[in-house]
Amino acid sequence: MEVISPSPRPVGGSSSAYYFPPSPASTPRTFLDSNLYGDTDLSGPSCGVGEPGTEGSRLYPLPPTSRRNKVLTQDLKTPDSHVERDPRLIRLTGIHPFNVEPPLSDLYDEGFLTTKDLHYVRNHGPVPRVKDFEILGWEFTVEGMLEKPVKMTLRNLIEDYEQLTYPITLVCAGNRRKEQNVVRKSKGFSWGAAGVSTALWTGVSLGDLLARAVPKRGARYVCFEGADKLPNGYYGTSVKLNWAMDPNRGIMVAHKMNGEVLHPDHGKPLRIVIPGQIGGRSVKWLKRIIVTSAPSDNWYHIYDNRVLPTMISPEASANLPDTWKDERYAIYDLNTNSATCYPAHDEKLSLSNGPETYKFRGYAYAGGGKRVSRLEVTLDQGKTWTLANITYPEDQYRLAPENEVLFGGRLDITWREACFCWCFWDMDIPISQLRGAKDVMIRAMDDSMMVQPKEMYWSVLGMMNNPWYRVVIHEEGSTLRFEHPTQPALIPGGWMERVKAQGGNLMNGFWGEKVPGEEETVLMEEPAKEICMINEKVSRIITIEELREHSGEEEPWFVVNGHVYDGTPFLDGHPGGAASIFGGAGQNVSEEFITIHSENAKAMMPKYHIGTLDARSLALLAATEPVAESSEPRPVFLQPKTWSKAILTEKTRVSSDTKIFTFTLDHEAQTIGLPVGQHLMMRVRDPGSQMAIIRAYTPISEGTDAGKLRVLVKIYYDTPKIKGGKMTQALDSLPMGQFVEFKGPIGKFEYLGKGLCTVNAKERRVRRLIMVCAGSGITPIFQVLRAVMTDESDPTSCVVIDGNRVQEDILCKPELDAMAARCKDKCRLLYTLSRPDASWKGLKGRMDKALFEREVGAPPASNDTMVLICGPEPMEKAVHQVFTSLGWKDENILFF
Ligand SMILES: Nc1nc2c(c(=O)[nH]1)N[C@H]1C(S)=C(S)[C@@H](COP(=O)(O)O)O[C@H]1N2
Ligand SMILES: [Mo]
């Protein structure tokens, strides 16, 4: 062992203030003796676990037998191609990095201790490669504000320090995050409820190690750094020095898990393990222990494992460095949590001559050494509760004889009052009661009387999610089917997604169910019809590699709800133009497809359905979903394949129900990038349900404008009788400084100038444009009209017929009037009002056949006039009929 800086002082100097439990006089040497790190074949018998010496008297659990695993084919092409893994693990972030949880029932079935095969894994990057013969020579430092900093090897740690063994439950702070992501997407991937596992860890007390290195006055924190090099540096974090020195806290530097050398995914050969705290502080592949006066400044300590206040949106969080650094938001101790493992999700229970009760069961844990002091079950949504049985297998280790040695470490738990592990609960529920209940919900309480909340606390990173765990019961014929809140990763299923898809507001305090008093609004809601979008006969399984070959403009394929569709036959027919299909090529477009398309459009989908993505590909697709947050400033704002954010900076009222929303782009020189006559998609989140709402709009800014984007929006407010517009009301309630997302351009029509246009990418020349619109339908027409009128050399003549109810409803009237006045020779502008007041001097009445007969008439013999129509669907249909009856052909009529 090499001392980094001199100043020798007697061992234990300043550490005498700390209490350490009595330890046996001699240091156990069983490690090296037992040849565990020697030339033994480490791939040897699949379970490397040996029986402790106290056979017969042993009361505590030992790890179940682990399997012999292989390098999986999926991992071959990744930097983890040296790591053997269990194929049952569910990948949460595509193939790499490796972030996995076991199936919840498998985890429960393993019992108190989890094998390395099924222990959850959270790797921020590639797994460092350490050969077996390198284990004992692994070097690490104990440095910083210490009288005797040292650089040592794992061999030194084993030979010179007392070895301890105890069971510890590790939990990722993101456990149960999928539930949060369903409510509102956080910045984290979707853990189910199995981001938790328990193992027997063997190593040295961190306090022991630090006491010998003698912390200096003023030292308050201990930082850890791993060997995994990540995009923002080595993984690192810190905890408080006084915790590290406190044997009650049990923080250890571990080199064995369940009696075996650490598995590469779990930190081979050395890691920190901290009982009762989130897994994120238990640094793997440990290289440095640094004692400091301030918390770690490692990127991962600051920007990960925090619960920011709930109102901070992902967008806002990007500009709040001081909020991120606020130590009060850093998570250390776990909060109390629990889950139901049986019945499993989708488990079915036969009602005919089955047993009379069902044993509900699952896990619970508390943080900071606290004990789960009760677990309560409700079958009536929280009106009444019943106590479940709880077993604490951890307590059995406390009964072991004094100085019992397990896996070469003293089973240092007899004296402890602290709880380092999960416990299990169960309750027999009569089937008759289950039949009468909608759901079974559970909540745990800890010994500081903190109880799991009914409501979720959402925050940017989606962490520490612990509301009551709710399993819904469906009685279907003679069976009961159970439904968990979610399934991990992208796996569909669970009542949360179902309720959300049905338009329920998950945050209404009633799990998205209708609440008394909410009835009225529910009645006004348009019925959410389930439309089948797949062809049952299609059975082809498609991989991501095949999909990627179709991400160009030739044979564009796209994915909706995991199914693959070929857009090729619909390139000409798509109302949004071929560009909107190319925009989705090779991608998962589920969200925007579902929100933007009508039931009719959805009903057409089976025709284009060609196959289904396999689970691996689906997960990969999600992991590689393009995000617009690139660091490079882009010259053009709109991108066809990814959503780009712009900040709402101004709302200007232009009439009683119409506003101009101004959005600020990434930088002043950034142009919008919208061709004349085309549209963009706008995405906002419903303030209540946080569901995405997407609609197409045409801004009033010119597509070549830079820095700002202005959109004119008529807001359809709710009235007592009629439900208003979801999109427009969500936009209206958006506070300044919030972002809205945009994507585009889309549209099959483009005006290139001087009479040249394209329709579905085919060029055509026009001499005359007849533009018919109503209400906010003026916006795309305004774009085209402005292009014609501002170009003096453009000879195209235009007729605009704009129908509204009252004068105040005519949008952009001053601008339109000014253009018409300037270009009298090529612009005729007609307004007609259906309910004009006495002062109105213009046309009166609806847009009927008489009006168009008089003002437009039959089509000219030359094929050089086009009719552009934009307004509400009934108006578009009626106008279409009139033009057809006047002899106009469809090829000359275009709907925006
Ligand atoms: N060096 C290093 N240590 C790390 C991580 C990491 O990515 N690199 N992930 C952390 C997180 S967030 C968790 S939850 C735990 C997971 O430990 P496990 O993979 O052994 O279950 O390791 C922690 N330690
Ligand atoms: Mo984690």
Side-chain angles (χ1 to χ4, degrees):
M1 182 157 56
E2 167 194 346
V3 173
I4 297 178
S5 97
S7 79
R9 289 245 319 246
V11 168
S14 70
S15 74
S16 54
Y18 297 103
Y19 163 77
F20 280 93
S23 56
S26 70
T27 310
R29 297 271 170 165
T30 34
F31 271 86
L32 299 173
D33 302 344
S34 71
N35 216 3
L36 239 176
Y37 295 116
D39 48 10
T40 324
D41 176 12
L42 287 163
S43 63
S46 60
C47 174
V49 176
E51 283 289 303
T54 49
E55 259 169 290
S57 65
R58 188 177 58 74
L59 296 162
Y60 48 83
L62 284 179
T65 310
S66 64
R67 333 191 327 168
R68 179 176 294 213
N69 292 312
K70 285 203 288 273
V71 172
L72 303 174
T73 42
Q74 300 162 64
D75 291 320
L76 284 175
K77 286 191 184 144
T78 76
D80 293 354
S81 60
H82 56 105
V83 187
E84 296 178 355
R85 291 167 172 157
D86 189 305
R88 289 171 295 176
L89 293 168
I90 301 166
R91 297 192 189 222
L92 308 169
T93 53
I95 290 183
H96 189 84
F98 194 62
N99 291 296
V100 292
E101 69 179 68
L104 188 57
S105 330
D106 292 356
L107 175 68
Y108 185 88
D109 291 347
E110 289 219 319
F112 176 68
L113 294 172
T114 318
T115 56
K116 66 174 189 312
D117 310 337
L118 288 188
H119 196 290
Y120 87 87
V121 179
R122 170 75 179 101
N123 291 342
H124 282 74
V127 175
R129 187 171 197 152
V130 180
K131 303 260 174 59
D132 288 339
F133 71 84
E134 297 167 333
I135 292 176
L136 286 175
W138 176 267
E139 287 186 334
F140 66 102
T141 57
V142 185
E143 54 180 295
M145 298 174 72
L146 296 166
E147 299 294 349
K148 296 194 283 179
V150 292
K151 180 177 207 166
M152 63 166 120
T153 62
L154 181 49
R155 179 187 293 275
N156 298 143
L157 188 80
I158 293 166
E159 289 183 349
D160 302 342
Y161 291 82
E162 194 207 355
Q163 307 298 307
L164 304 172
T165 294
Y166 31 80
I168 295 169
T169 295
L170 282 180
V171 187
C172 182
N175 192 30
R176 295 183 64 189
R177 184 189 289 130
K178 173 74 171 272
E179 295 164 52
Q180 299 209 317
N181 279 343
V182 178
V183 167
R184 176 181 185 180
K185 248 184 136 171
S186 72
K187 286 190 178 207
F189 58 85
S190 291
W191 288 102
V196 47
S197 306
T198 303
L200 285 163
W201 296 91
T202 303
V204 169
S205 156
L206 178 62
D208 196 0
L209 197 62
L210 291 175
R212 284 214 223 160
V214 192
K216 287 186 179 164
R217 195 183 160 79
R220 286 177 60 206
Y221 297 88
V222 191
C223 305
F224 311 117
E225 199 175 275
D228 45 337
K229 183 94 200 273
L230 303 169
N232 294 294
Y234 292 100
Y235 185 86
T237 181
S238 61
V239 295
K240 291 185 180 162
L241 177 62
N242 72 299
W243 297 339
M245 303 306 288
D246 180 356
N248 291 296
R249 284 262 169 185
I251 304 182
M252 65 155 57
V253 188
H255 50 85
K256 269 189 184 178
M257 172 186 179
N258 290 337
E260 291 180 83
V261 167
L262 297 188
H263 180 276
D265 278 326
H266 299 294
K268 181 181 182 181
L270 189 65
R271 76 175 299 175
I272 296 290
V273 186
I274 306 182
Q277 294 199 359
I278 56 159
R281 309 282 168 234
S282 292
V283 172
K284 304 191 274 192
W285 313 294
L286 183 69
K287 278 312 249 180
R288 298 171 73 196
I289 298 172
I290 314 150
V291 174
T292 55
S293 61
S296 167
D297 60 0
N298 186 289
W299 192 93
Y300 298 91
H301 182 72
I302 292 164
Y303 292 103
D304 201 353
N305 290 315
R306 293 192 173 228
V307 176
L308 296 196
T310 188
M311 58 288 200
I312 295 177
S313 67
E315 171 66 19
S317 71
N319 303 313
L320 297 170
D322 293 335
T323 303
W324 284 107
K325 286 180 192 132
D326 192 329
E327 264 290 301
R328 296 174 304 170
Y329 303 147
I331 316 164
Y332 295 99
D333 287 352
L334 287 159
N335 56 5
T336 302
N337 209 342
S338 61
T340 299
C341 302
Y342 285 104
H345 175 68
D346 237 4
E347 183 172 327
K348 294 180 187 74
L349 177 65
S350 170
L351 293 172
S352 46
N353 57 56
E356 268 161 34
T357 61
Y358 184 101
K359 192 183 277 301
F360 271 64
R361 51 209 196 275
Y363 69 74
Y365 57 79
K370 290 207 263 294
R371 178 177 289 265
V372 171
S373 54
R374 75 194 72 171
L375 189 128
E376 296 168 317
V377 180
T378 179
L379 277 80
D380 55 13
Q381 307 202 309
K383 286 190 204 75
T384 59
W385 296 87
T386 312
L387 283 177
N389 302 316
I390 305 183
T391 55
Y392 306 92
E394 178 182 3
D395 287 345
Q396 293 170 304
Y397 296 86
R398 302 185 210 276
L399 305 176
E402 190 71 26
N403 296 331
E404 166 104 322
V405 171
L406 178 58
F407 305 135
R410 187 166 56 89
L411 196 52
D412 183 36
I413 183 159
T414 338
W415 62 276
R416 284 178 201 283
E417 291 297 325
C419 284
F420 288 174
C421 297
W422 59 2
C423 59
F424 298 115
W425 64 271
D426 69 81
M427 189 165 125
D428 287 314
I429 306 180
I431 307 290
S432 58
Q433 283 184 26
L434 290 176
R435 291 187 67 171
K438 280 189 192 159
D439 44 36
V440 177
M441 287 187 270
I442 58 162
R443 67 178 185 200
M445 193 187 274
D446 64 34
D447 53 16
S448 68
M449 307 301 161
M450 281 295 284
V451 67
Q452 283 181 251
K454 179 180 173 191
E455 299 296 333
M456 167 183 297
Y457 188 92
W458 187 95
S459 68
V460 179
L461 292 181
M463 301 219 151
M464 305 290 269
N465 187 44
N466 72 336
W468 304 351
Y469 195 89
R470 176 177 187 244
V471 172
V472 171
I473 306 172
H474 298 278
E475 182 158 351
E476 296 168 344
S478 61
T479 55
L480 292 184
R481 180 171 61 83
F482 299 98
E483 189 182 27
H484 278 230
T486 60
Q487 288 289 280
L490 285 180
I491 302 171
W495 59 263
M496 294 190 77
E497 280 178 348
R498 173 175 55 76
V499 165
K500 185 173 168 174
Q502 290 164 355
N505 171 7
L506 289 167
M507 296 297 270
N508 70 353
F510 291 88
W511 308 278
E513 291 180 355
K514 286 176 206 165
V515 256
E518 210 185 51
E519 233 74 81
E520 259 174 87
T521 29
V522 173
L523 282 179
M524 295 191 296
E525 200 87 59
E526 63 265 40
K529 249 203 275 172
E530 274 287 341
I531 292 172
C532 174
M533 299 202 294
I534 58 164
N535 178 354
E536 300 283 357
K537 294 199 192 90
V538 167
S539 60
R540 176 170 171 193
I541 299 295
I542 292 175
T543 63
I544 191 154
E545 290 77 17
E546 289 173 275
L547 176 71
R548 285 193 177 135
E549 281 168 26
H550 294 271
S551 52
E553 301 204 347
E554 213 160 286
E555 293 190 15
W557 292 3
F558 56 93
V559 177
V560 178
N561 293 345
H563 297 287
V564 182
Y565 296 86
D566 182 357
T568 321
F570 203 46
L571 286 174
D572 288 339
H574 192 271
S580 52
I581 296 181
F582 295 148
Q587 292 186 71
N588 175 19
V589 294
S590 308
E591 194 176 42
E592 59 237 64
F593 183 91
I594 303 289
T595 50
I596 211 168
H597 286 87
S598 65
E599 292 178 4
N600 291 344
K602 288 174 188 160
M604 290 166 69
M605 291 296 278
K607 266 208 320 225
Y608 306 104
H609 181 212
I610 56 165
T612 305
L613 275 192
D614 62 67
R616 171 192 71 98
S617 301
L618 199 56
L620 255 184
L621 190 62
T624 57
E625 216 157 83
V627 276
E629 282 156 55
S630 94
S631 43
E632 288 294 300
R634 279 181 283 118
V636 178
F637 174 67
L638 282 178
Q639 294 179 286
K641 291 205 178 197
T642 53
W643 291 98
S644 307
K645 289 175 180 146
I647 308 288
L648 176 63
T649 42
E650 208 181 305
K651 284 184 206 176
T652 317
R653 215 177 130 113
V654 293
S655 78
S656 64
D657 59 0
T658 309
K659 289 182 186 171
I660 292 175
F661 291 82
T662 303
F663 300 93
T664 301
L665 306 185
D666 297 346
H667 54 90
E668 271 174 28
Q670 188 173 49
T671 58
I672 298 168
L674 189 68
V676 177
Q678 301 231 301
H679 326 290
L680 44 74
M681 281 188 285
M682 217 156 126
R683 176 164 81 174
V684 296
R685 303 240 161 219
D686 179 90
S689 67
Q690 288 302 333
M691 291 230 300
I693 317 171
I694 303 172
R695 298 280 186 276
Y697 280 94
T698 319
I700 52 170
S701 303
E702 285 190 55
T704 50
D705 286 355
K708 301 257 190 249
L709 168 62
R710 300 191 315 138
V711 190
L712 180 92
V713 180
K714 183 174 157 126
I715 296 143
Y716 296 91
Y717 292 103
D718 282 345
T719 68
K721 288 245 168 63
I722 302 164
K723 186 107 181 119
K726 261 197 215 159
M727 175 76 177
T728 59
Q729 292 186 99
L731 251 182
D732 193 38
S733 62
L734 207 64
M736 230 53 89
Q738 290 276 57
F739 68 88
V740 164
E741 292 164 298
F742 298 88
K743 187 156 132 169
I746 55 164
K748 59 185 165 188
F749 176 83
E750 183 180 344
Y751 188 73
L752 301 170
K754 301 188 186 27
L756 189 62
C757 1
T758 60
V759 179
N760 286 331
K762 285 191 211 75
E763 284 193 2
R764 67 174 285 179
R765 293 217 156 259
V766 293
R767 295 168 65 138
R768 195 159 169 247
L769 286 170
I770 294 162
M771 301 190 269
V772 184
C773 62
S776 52
I778 187 68
T779 52
I781 283 175
F782 186 85
Q783 289 279 359
V784 178
L785 188 71
R786 180 171 54 194
V788 176
M789 297 306 146
T790 50
D791 179 359
E792 276 170 26
S793 61
D794 187 329
T796 314
S797 77
C798 298
V799 181
V800 178
I801 303 174
D802 184 2
N804 289 283
R805 243 164 29 103
V806 295
Q807 190 172 340
E808 205 223 24
D809 288 345
I810 305 174
L811 300 175
C812 306
K813 188 164 185 295
E815 294 85 348
L816 289 166
D817 289 343
M819 275 196 274
R822 246 190 298 122
C823 313
K824 284 200 186 78
D825 48 331
K826 58 177 183 180
C827 178
R828 202 149 66 90
L829 181 57
L830 300 168
Y831 304 107
T832 180
L833 295 182
S834 58
R835 291 209 202 137
D837 63 16
S839 68
W840 179 247
K841 305 239 159 42
L843 296 175
K844 292 172 188 161
R846 301 184 157 274
M847 292 201 282
D848 54 10
K849 185 161 179 181
L851 171 75
F852 293 112
E853 229 165 7
R854 195 174 66 233
E855 304 294 341
V856 181
S862 55
N863 218 25
D864 55 7
T865 303
M866 270 192 78
V867 182
L868 308 180
I869 306 174
C870 190
E873 206 180 309
M875 169 266 180
E876 289 191 344
K877 277 196 179 136
V879 173
H880 184 201
Q881 249 174 21
V882 172
F883 275 87
T884 311
S885 74
L886 290 173
W888 290 79
K889 283 193 246 138
D890 273 359
E891 64 190 55
N892 294 326
I893 303 177
L894 197 128
F895 302 92
F896 274 131

